[in-house]
Amino acid sequence: MQEQLQKLVAELLPHNTTTTHFPPKLFTKVVSCYSEPQREYHTVSHVIDLLDNFKLYVLDGGTVNWREGVLFAILFHDIVYNPLIDNNEDESIKVFKEYCHSESPDLDSTNIQWISYMIACTKKHAILPVIEYSDKLAHVDVLKLEFDTKLFLDLDLGVLGKSRE
């Protein structure tokens, strides 16, 4: 599964982008976390489904403002899942930020907040007021951020339209 994740992410990166933010050990972590025994739905298969659907969207000519941001949101949005707590999204954001500080220090704070915002929106699967979420997002193009976030949320909820087979 790790190889499948790596391949999908590499295929989705823009052609002029390197994979430095997505090293093999990231996929090891993703597979490990999403394979925990308490998970029923929030599994590696869910992440692969999101990546597959994102790939179809991109190949069909769909618009996305920042592919890497959506990819990070897909990989980290459910990286923490404990059915006994109600702040899995906040904990997932913490893990994402820890990863950025240790493995992707060149990812700037605005980009980290952009991705954190997308993950935070999965709590209610709704757009949050951008400025209230973080003052670091005050100078971003809010329409682009919200567009990418809505796309990501649609991908995340896409499983609801799948057959149970």
Side-chain angles (χ1 to χ4, degrees), residues 8 11 18 31 51 82 94 103 106 109 121 125 133 140:
L8 280 167
E11 290 171 354
T18 65
V31 169
L51 292 170
N82 178 345
K94 284 181 189 173
E103 304 299 329
D106 58 329
S109 62
C121 287
H125 284 89
Y133 180 75
V140 303

Side-chain angles (χ1 to χ4, degrees), residues 2 15 32 38 43-44 51 55 58 64 66 69 73 84 90 98 101 110 121 128 149-152 161 165:
Q2 181 171 333
H15 296 295
S32 174
Q38 77 276 12
T43 63
V44 177
L51 292 170
K55 181 179 174 182
V58 169
V64 61
W66 188 36
L84 303 177
D90 297 331
E98 289 168 5
H101 293 300
T110 299
C121 287
L128 300 169
T149 303
K150 288 175 185 177
L151 168 62
F152 165 61
E165 297 174 5

Side-chain angles (χ1 to χ4, degrees), residues 7 9 13 15 18 42-43 54 56 58 64-65 76 94 97 103 108 118 124 127 130 132 139 145 152-153:
K7 183 176 184 276
V9 168
L13 287 171
H15 296 295
T18 65
H42 303 90
T43 63
F54 188 36
L56 290 173
V58 169
V64 61
N65 296 296
F76 280 94
K94 284 181 189 173
K97 288 180 176 179
E103 304 299 329
D108 71 40
M118 287 195 284
K124 295 187 178 182
I127 298 297
V130 174
E132 290 177 25
H139 64 280
L145 172 57
F152 165 61
L153 293 175

Side-chain angles (χ1 to χ4, degrees), residues 61-151:
T63 300
V64 61
N65 296 296
W66 188 36
R67 283 191 203 184
E68 296 93 329
V70 175
L71 289 169
F72 269 123
I74 288 170
L75 295 174
F76 280 94
H77 78 287
D78 288 324
I79 202 147
V80 173
Y81 180 70
N82 178 345
L84 303 177
I85 63 172
D86 66 354
N87 67 337
N88 288 297
E89 297 80 7
D90 297 331
E91 294 301 315
S92 292
I93 290 168
K94 284 181 189 173
V95 170
F96 166 68
K97 288 180 176 179
E98 289 168 5
Y99 169 79
C100 290
H101 293 300
S102 65
E103 304 299 329
S104 287
D106 58 329
L107 197 62
D108 71 40
S109 62
T110 299
N111 289 337
I112 291 169
Q113 284 303 117
W114 181 305
I115 298 160
S116 298
Y117 171 83
M118 287 195 284
I119 295 169
C121 287
T122 64
K123 185 163 191 155
K124 295 187 178 182
H125 284 89
I127 298 297
L128 300 169
V130 174
I131 301 304
E132 290 177 25
Y133 180 75
S134 172
D135 60 351
K136 290 182 178 154
L137 295 173
H139 64 280
V140 303
D141 184 328
V142 173
L143 294 178
K144 288 181 179 180
L145 172 57
E146 288 182 350
F147 183 89
D148 283 0
T149 303
K150 288 175 185 177
L151 168 62

